[in-house]
Amino acid sequence: MIQPTTDTLAQPIIRFADVHKRFGSLVVLDALSLDIPADRTTVIIGPSGAGKSVLLKHIVGLLQPDSGNVYFHQQRINHLSERQLEPIRKRIGFLFQMGALFDSMTVGENIAFPLRHQGIKSERNIQQVIGEKLAVVGLSGSEKKMPADLSGGQKKRVALARAIAMDPEVVLYDEPTTGLDPIRADVINELILKLKEELKVTGIVVTHDMASAFKVADQIVMLLNGKIIAQGTPQQIKTMENDDVRHFIEGRANAADLKALHRL
Amino acid sequence: MTPEDPSSNRFRILSPLEFWGKTCLSLVLTLGDFVRFFVAILAGLLRGMDRFGRREMLSQMFDLGTLSIPVVMLTGFFIGAVLVIEAYPQFHALGLASRLGSVTVLSVVKQIGPVLTGVMLAGRVGGAMTAELGTMRVTEQIEALRSMAADPVRTLAVPRVLACLVMTPILTVFSDILGIFGGWLIAVHVQGINNDQFWHFARVGVDIYTINTGLIKALFFGLAIGAIACYKGFRCGNGAQGVGRACTEAFVSSFIVILILNLVLALLLTNIYVMVWPNQPPIL
Ligand SMILES: Nc1ncnc2c1ncn2[C@@H]1O[C@H](COP(=O)(O)OP(=O)(O)OP(=O)(O)O)[C@@H](O)[C@H]1O
Ligand SMILES: [Mg+2]
């Protein structure tokens, strides 16, 4: 396994130390240790079911490890109560894989929710943020729509607007470009880059979109069966010899999958 | 598959001991979990709600309360009418037909009104509220709330429980009024009981304590219905099947709890009555 050579100056803002997580008998994270550098974008790749979404949920305390620890700014967070997690959660934006928009609220109210919940009273400020963030994701003027009336890709973008509404210092993007057309997907890539460069946002991007991964990543981590099998800069990952990594980034089916198909 | 994998047991026949052991254990665990949830709701009720919560509460009060008024009135009317139709022959045979006013009002106010309203609401709330919260859980909206530092119990459960708490007594009043009307209609206009006598005995039979008995019951029913519906929604299993099952369970559990509460409260409130007014045995 190649060790990360992304600049060692960057302090880890989030740290996984020997994290184990299982659901029943299914081992999802297996002795996972990972440093997420501040002000950089870390991309997590890996096959479906590898535990990428589970990993993200540990960072905001939606899930707790069975053993091992998770740190945010050197503070151990996996033993904190919901109440104690609140200040940490306020600093992190989370784009859920399925969007998780509140479907009883309009698009505008969805984006306003974190703002109102955190005590921003000025209605003018709130409306301004809603307008700004919707423009950023290319959905200006849809404040009044209900989530049920949006397409899959539009929902995803509203969810992204909601995740960045508070200008958080860390944004967790769970498949931000899935379900978007190639042009819109690239706009989202640019957005992720821009947030990092201009607002110093630490990004963690889970994606299956390799073009997006190589474009936005400072560091790429590949998960397989709950373990990290490769970690490095995009350049290092591209030139890696490991078969699992090669197959994955080139999007080629492996021998076992092909054999199963032949039985059809 | 390892031995502790629950799915490996799915198609195996359990020995009776194992079966009862498992059933009791899961019952105790669920009960403990529910009690913790319930305490969190009570704490939330005391802390009050934010602006978002108040809006949720009003919309729930409308959906579950206002929209339930017609159906609660309709059922109240029919049950009140049937009560008199079926009680009349016995009372007539005893020569007490004129006392039907007491019977009607007493049964409606103490029993039929609150229980009927509770059961109607349990069905409606189990169907609507549990389904909504269950869908929110399945689509990760509840996790999204938590990820934004909002407390789902405070933002979702407390307004709903409060809506049930307020609306059940109000709906009970509607049910009571129509139940009495239904009984009166049959007694006076079908069975030919004297109108003045009907109302005379109705007044004698019912004091303010009796009316409060019904309303106190309704209050407890509302609390139970709301808390159970929210609990089942929050702990809903995955997929459409999980949501469906949670709704059914919410209704069945609320229904059973209503019956148990009804018994306990009847015992308790009657004893209190006898303690406070020892020389005045409850009429009838
Ligand atoms: N709350 C849960 N309860 C039980 N099992 C879970 C839970 N959350 C996730 N899992 C299981 O953990 C495994 C990893 O899930 P996860 O959602 O992290 O996959 P993923 O890597 O994000 O996959 P995808 O790319 O398809 O989104 C899956 O097998 C899933 O069934
Ligand atoms: Mg996922």
Side-chain angles (χ1 to χ4, degrees), chain A residues 22-26, chain B residues 1-10 22:
Chain A
R22 52 196 281 176
F23 294 108
S25 63
L26 177 75
Chain B
M1 261 179 207
T2 52
E4 63 261 56
D5 183 359
S7 62
S8 64
N9 284 336
R10 190 169 293 163
K22 274 203 166 115

Side-chain angles (χ1 to χ4, degrees), chain A residues 23 26 28 47-54 97 175 208:
Chain A
F23 294 108
L26 177 75
V28 181
S48 207
K52 305 180 297 293
S53 300
V54 168
Q97 185 166 358
E175 307 199 2
H208 291 297

